[in-house]
Amino acid sequence: MSSPKKTLTSCALILALATVDARAHGGVYRGPGNVVSSPGTGSSSGSSGSSGSGGTGTITPGSAGTTTGGGNTPGTAGPRGAGPVIPTGVASRGPVGAPLDDDLTRWTYYWEFRKDSYLGLRAAVHATGTIQFSDTFFMAGGDKEGSDTLLPSEDQLRTEVLPPLHRALESTSQRDITSSCLVALAKLGLEDKYFALLPTLRARLTSHDQEIRETAALAMGISQRSGAVPDLVALLHDTDRGRRLCERSEVDDRTRSFAGYGLGLIAYGSPSLGVKRIVFEALRDVLDDDSVVGWNVPIAALSGVGLLHLDSQIDPAVDGLRSEALGLLARLHDADVGVGRQLVQAHIATAAAALLADSREASLRSAWIERLLDDLRGATTAQGSTRRLAVLGQSAALALGELAAPHEDGAPEAHVSEALLKAFEDGMDFQTGVFALTALGRIGGSRNVEALLEVLASGTKALERPWAALALGIHEHHRLASAGTAGRIDERITKALEAQLDEVKNPETLAALAVALGLSRARDASPKLRVLLDEHRSKDELAGYICLGLALMEDRSSIPAIREIVQQSGRRPQRLIQSAMALGRLGDKSAALALMDQMSGADQNLAVLSSLAFAVGRIGDRRTIPALVEMVGDTEMVDLARAFAVVAIGGVGDKESEPWSAKIGRLANYRAAVETLFNQASGILDIL
C-alpha cells in the first residue's frame, strides 16, 4: 500500500477511481512504471496507446514497493505487484520488466515533469491584488474584498500550522499521517521553542515501517538544513553511524537512495561551497565504490551530483568543484560497463547538463556536447562495445537541448541541431526522436523553427505533431522570456499552431496545441480554445489542458468558463486539477476556496481527495489554512482525509516557490527510471 503523499507528477494521466481495495490509503496517481526499453531491442514503441477518452492511467492502491536487501534484483514496486520495474540487462532473455499500461511516448509525460517552471503558478497566486472571500466557506453575509497577497506569512505558519502538524505527528503511528507530516514539516522548514525539526525527522529513521524510514531521510533533504548532511552521508554510506541512526544491522537500499536524493536537495539550496563539496565527495565515493550493487543508489548519487547548483556568477570559486564533478561524470560516462549498467550511465548526461547550466567555461561545454553527440548517434565507446540501450540517446537529446546555441545560418554549433533533427528523421528510436524535437525547440534559432514547423505541418497527426507543437511552444516561451518587455509574438508560429486546431481532431494533439498556444502567448487564439472547451468539456484530459493553455496565454476573459469547469469537476479529478491550477495561474483569488468547499465535503472518494489536496497545495492560498488545520485535528475523520489535509497544508506553507521535486524532474529521463526515482507508487517523484 502507498501513502497519500504518493501522487503523480503527471496529472495528465489521472482517471477517476474505479475500483479500490478497501485498505487503499494513497489515491496514487498512476504514472510510468517500467519506463525502459528492452535491452534486446534498444528501441521504444512508436505506437500510440491513447484512445482519446481523456487519459490512459488508472488509480490503484499499489504496493509499498519496498526492498530490504542490497542485492541486484529490483523490488516489485508498483500497482498489482507487476514485477521488476527495470531491465535485467540480459538481452538473451527477451523483453523484460513490468507490463506497459501507459504509452510513455506521449507528450504529456514530458510536460508534467517540467510544467512548474513554465506555469509560475505560485507567483501568480501570491501576487498582490483584490481578494474575494467566499461567503459560503469563510464569511456569512456577503463577499469581502481587500488588497493583499495570498502568501502565508512565516508568523502564520509558525503559530497556526506548526503546532497542529506537530501534534498530529506525535499523536499517531499511522503511516499515512506520519509520512505526510514529515514531508509537510520539511517543506515548511520552521521550528519553535517546542519543536525542533531535524531531531523530529531523525527520530523516525528508527521506524519499523520502511516507508516512514525512507520518507524521514528524504524529508531531511527537503528541509535543506545543512545540519542533516552528516546523518544523510552516514545513511548513504551504510556506516556504523548510519546503522545506529536507523537501529538496523544495515541501511536498506531504499533509505540509502533517499538519503542520496536528500543530499542533493541540501546542496542545491545551500549557498555554502563547503557544504556542496562535502555532499559531492560523499556522492563521489558511492559512485566509485564497486561494492555498491543495483541501480537505485548510484542513480540517486548521480541525481545528487546534478543538484549541486554551482553558479559561477554568484561565486566564481565553484568552478573548481564543477570541473571535478564533470571529470567524475566523464570518467563514468566513458567506461565500458556493458548493457546492464548503461541504465545508470543514462543519468549522467542530464546531470552534466545541469552542472554546465551556469558555467562560464566554454571548453567544458563543448567537450560534453561532442560526447553527447556520440551517444545520440549511437557511437561505440572507446573500448569497442556495440550494444547500447536507447535510453543513452534519449538522455543525450535532453541534455543537448540545454547546452547548444541557437541554430542560425553559419552558427558554430549548427551541427548539434542538425544531429538532433537527423535523430528524429531516422526514427531508430521514437522516444529519442521526439526528445530531439523538444531539444530543437529549447535550443531555438530560425533554422530549428523552420524544421519544427515542417513537422507540425506534415508529421503524423497523433504521434509527431503533438511533440512538434510542444517544442514550438517551448521555443516561444524561452524566446519571449529572454526578450522581456521588448519581446513580440512570432505570428508565423502562432498562426501555424492555430491553423492546426481546425485540421486535427485527435484529442491528444489538440491538447498539445492548446498548451503550445498558451506558451506562445497567442491570445488571438483564445476564442477558438473557448469553443473547443465547450465542445470537449466531457473529455477530461483535453478540457484540462485547454484550460491550462488559456491560463498560460493570460486570457482573463476565460475565467468564467474555467470557473464553471472547476465547479462541475467534483468527481473528475484530472480535469479538476488542471482547471483549478489554470484559475490560480490567471490570478483568480477564488480558486483555492472553491476547492476547499469540495474538500470539506463528506462524500469524496480517494481520487477526488488526493486531487483536491494536490491542487490546493499547488495554489498555496493562505486562506485555506484554518479549514485544513481543522481537518487535521478532527480525529473523528478517517485517517485518509486527515492525511490529505496535511498534504495540502505542506503545499500551502512550502518555503519554496516550486515543488522540491521539480528540481529533479525537470531534466530527468523518465524512460530510464528505477523504483526509487519513479515507479507509479513509491519513487521520490511520486511524492506530493
Side-chain angles (χ1 to χ4, degrees):
M1 295 190 344
S2 56
S3 155
K5 74 187 181 72
K6 309 289 188 183
T7 192
L8 175 66
T9 302
S10 177
C11 55
L13 303 175
I14 300 169
L15 285 180
L17 188 63
T19 58
V20 180
D21 188 315
R23 300 169 298 154
H25 56 88
V28 178
Y29 295 158
R30 292 282 308 284
N34 173 30
V35 290
V36 183
S37 306
S38 165
T41 64
S43 63
S44 312
S45 169
S47 63
S48 174
S50 175
S51 64
S53 60
T56 58
T58 55
I59 301 171
T60 73
S63 65
T66 58
T67 57
T68 56
N72 211 19
T73 303
T76 57
R80 297 184 296 279
V85 295
I86 42 183
T88 63
V90 183
S92 61
R93 295 182 184 178
V96 295
L100 294 180
D101 294 326
D102 302 318
D103 179 6
L104 306 179
T105 63
R106 301 178 67 210
W107 69 274
T108 52
Y109 282 85
Y110 178 96
W111 167 255
E112 291 298 330
F113 276 115
R114 292 157 175 79
K115 69 176 181 293
D116 290 295
S117 59
Y118 294 103
L119 285 178
L121 179 58
R122 292 173 74 88
V125 173
H126 293 161
T128 57
T130 299
I131 294 177
Q132 293 183 336
F133 293 87
S134 165
D135 57 351
T136 61
F137 187 77
F138 282 94
M139 295 185 177
D143 287 349
K144 307 289 183 181
E145 292 190 358
S147 182
D148 201 353
T149 174
L150 300 184
L151 176 69
S153 68
E154 182 175 318
D155 182 67
Q156 182 185 20
L157 295 175
R158 197 183 301 276
T159 58
E160 298 180 28
V161 175
L162 192 59
L165 283 183
H166 189 216
R167 286 195 297 270
L169 178 63
E170 296 297 330
S171 63
T172 185
S173 59
Q174 204 272 341
R175 173 192 283 181
D176 302 327
I177 296 174
T178 299
S179 296
S180 298
C181 282
L182 293 176
V183 173
L185 289 166
K187 287 181 176 180
L188 267 62
L190 298 174
E191 296 181 318
D192 61 22
K193 62 181 180 180
Y194 304 106
F195 169 75
L197 180 55
L198 288 183
T200 299
L201 301 177
R202 187 182 297 118
R204 269 65 190 182
L205 292 170
T206 63
S207 173
H208 295 296
D209 189 307
Q210 167 68 46
E211 182 178 299
I212 292 176
R213 289 198 306 275
E214 65 193 40
T215 302
L218 180 62
M220 295 171 81
I222 295 172
S223 76
Q224 296 188 335
R225 297 294 182 94
S226 58
V229 169
D231 289 342
L232 292 178
V233 171
L235 293 170
L236 175 65
H237 288 169
D238 188 20
T239 65
D240 289 341
R241 175 179 175 175
R243 295 172 182 182
R244 288 194 300 271
L245 282 169
C246 58
E247 295 182 358
R248 300 174 74 82
S249 60
E250 67 175 4
V251 185
D252 60 85
D253 273 11
R254 286 188 62 89
T255 302
R256 293 182 68 185
S257 300
F258 277 50
Y261 291 117
L263 283 168
L265 292 172
I266 291 175
Y268 186 96
S270 175
S272 168
L273 180 57
V275 169
K276 294 178 187 292
R277 174 159 288 282
I278 291 171
V279 169
F280 167 70
E281 291 176 353
L283 300 171
R284 177 200 61 196
D285 291 347
V286 165
L287 291 167
D288 280 337
D289 186 353
D290 292 335
S291 69
V292 176
V293 294
W295 294 277
N296 285 305
V297 175
I299 286 175
L302 286 171
S303 176
V305 172
L307 289 170
L308 288 173
H309 194 206
L310 304 174
D311 192 339
S312 301
Q313 295 182 350
I314 296 176
D315 182 1
V318 302
D319 287 338
L321 180 56
R322 187 196 334 273
S323 296
E324 192 173 342
L326 288 170
L328 168 69
L329 295 181
R331 175 164 51 82
L332 295 171
H333 174 277
D334 296 343
D336 184 14
V337 295
V339 174
R341 297 291 289 180
Q342 286 177 13
L343 182 64
V344 175
Q345 285 183 315
H347 294 267
I348 294 172
T350 51
L355 287 173
L356 288 162
D358 299 310
S359 173
R360 300 173 301 176
E361 300 183 39
S363 59
L364 282 176
R365 190 173 62 84
S366 297
W368 271 97
I369 284 176
E370 297 308 314
R371 181 178 280 112
L372 296 175
L373 283 173
D374 285 344
D375 284 343
L376 184 69
R377 295 164 181 149
T380 61
T381 63
Q383 289 76 19
S385 171
T386 58
R387 297 168 60 199
R388 298 177 67 80
L389 291 180
V391 289
L392 294 172
Q394 295 162 12
S395 296
L398 292 171
L400 287 168
E402 302 298 317
L403 297 178
H407 187 195
E408 307 287 359
D409 288 331
E413 290 179 359
H415 66 296
V416 178
S417 292
E418 291 167 358
L420 287 165
L421 183 59
K422 187 175 188 298
F424 168 74
E425 292 174 342
D426 285 351
M428 295 298 293
D429 174 61
F430 183 81
Q431 191 70 68
T432 301
V434 291
F435 279 171
L437 289 183
T438 65
L440 293 176
R442 185 69 181 89
I443 292 169
S446 60
R447 297 293 298 276
N448 284 347
V449 169
E450 291 171 6
L452 292 171
L453 286 171
E454 175 62 27
V455 178
L456 182 69
S458 60
T460 54
K461 293 181 180 180
L463 296 177
E464 297 170 346
R465 292 194 198 186
W467 285 95
L470 180 64
L472 286 165
I474 289 170
H475 163 78
E476 276 298 274
H477 172 87
H478 288 288
R479 184 187 67 81
L480 291 170
S482 298
T485 56
R488 294 291 180 269
I489 292 172
D490 186 339
E491 291 193 359
R492 180 180 53 159
I493 292 176
T494 58
K495 295 299 183 184
L497 292 170
E498 186 176 352
Q500 289 291 314
L501 294 177
D502 300 322
E503 181 175 341
V504 302
K505 303 300 181 185
N506 177 268
E508 176 101 352
T509 308
L510 288 173
L513 289 166
V515 171
L517 285 164
L519 290 170
S520 303
R521 303 183 194 175
R523 201 173 301 172
D524 287 347
S526 61
K528 281 188 179 180
L529 289 184
R530 287 197 294 272
V531 170
L532 285 173
L533 179 60
D534 188 58
E535 291 177 354
H536 299 292
R537 60 176 55 224
S538 63
K539 298 176 181 177
D540 290 356
E541 181 177 81
L542 175 54
Y545 279 124
I546 293 174
C547 290
L548 215 55
L550 289 166
L552 285 165
M553 65 178 63
E554 300 179 1
D555 181 51
R556 292 185 58 81
S557 61
S558 297
I559 287 178
I562 299 175
R563 277 181 180 169
E564 184 178 346
I565 294 293
V566 172
Q567 293 165 358
Q568 296 174 354
S569 298
R571 287 189 172 274
R572 309 179 82 156
Q574 178 180 0
R575 193 176 72 177
L576 176 63
I577 286 179
Q578 303 283 34
S579 57
M581 289 196 299
L583 278 186
R585 177 65 172 76
L586 286 168
D588 187 322
K589 307 301 185 182
S590 68
L593 302 188
L595 297 175
M596 280 305 306
D597 280 332
Q598 296 186 51
M599 190 170 181
S600 59
D603 185 25
Q604 300 292 353
N605 62 30
L606 297 181
V608 174
L609 279 173
S610 52
S611 63
L612 286 168
F614 180 96
V616 169
R618 284 293 174 92
I619 291 173
D621 185 336
R622 62 176 172 79
R623 295 171 297 162
T624 62
I625 288 176
L628 290 171
V629 167
E630 184 177 350
M631 291 177 68
V632 172
D634 186 354
T635 56
E636 298 298 315
M637 296 186 70
V638 296
D639 290 334
L640 277 174
R642 294 179 64 202
F644 283 129
V646 173
V647 168
I649 286 179
V652 173
D654 198 334
K655 61 186 176 296
E656 300 187 75
S657 60
E658 291 184 6
W660 60 269
S661 56
K663 304 178 188 68
I664 300 171
R666 67 168 51 102
L667 274 182
N669 178 5
Y670 51 86
R671 297 306 302 265
V674 291
E675 66 178 71
T676 56
L677 179 63
F678 190 58
N679 75 338
Q680 304 175 352
S682 59
I684 63 164
L685 294 181
D686 299 304
I687 298 175
L688 179 58

